[in-house]
Amino acid sequence: MRESKFDGGLLGLIGINLLTGFLTIITLGLGLPWATCLKQKWFTSHTIIDGNRLCFDGTGGQLFGNYIKWFFLTIITLGIYAFWLTIKMQKWITKHTHTLESGKYEPII
């Protein structure tokens, strides 16, 4: 059985939270998709599953497009679509998360 672990640290987590919070605040919330992707990249780049490091290749632009689509679907369905948003977000994250061969990728921050 190969090793699975998370090698991120507290200072890195504090740093990424400060950076993404600042990005979201100074853009009045419009930077949330980019902040979400940056945070997801940090978490996945520090995760090793069965000896393979994970990487996340989603972009804020892609997520912004989904946010707009999901927003309109929620309005059109009078809020009913909102029940599916957590699942839609997790599916999008999973779609953009991949494993890398050992030694080919270094964690961010």
Side-chain angles (χ1 to χ4, degrees), residues 10-29:
L10 179 61
L11 289 178
L13 180 61
I14 290 170
I16 201 73
N17 280 333
L18 287 173
L19 179 62
T20 57
F22 182 69
L23 176 64
T24 303
I25 290 169
I26 65 166
T27 61
L28 302 175

Side-chain angles (χ1 to χ4, degrees), residues 86-101:
T86 303
I87 292 169
K88 289 291 188 181
M89 185 66 181
Q90 190 59 48
K91 284 183 177 183
W92 186 82
I93 290 170
T94 303
K95 178 182 176 182
H96 291 282
T97 302
H98 311 281
T99 58
L100 297 171
E101 294 178 25

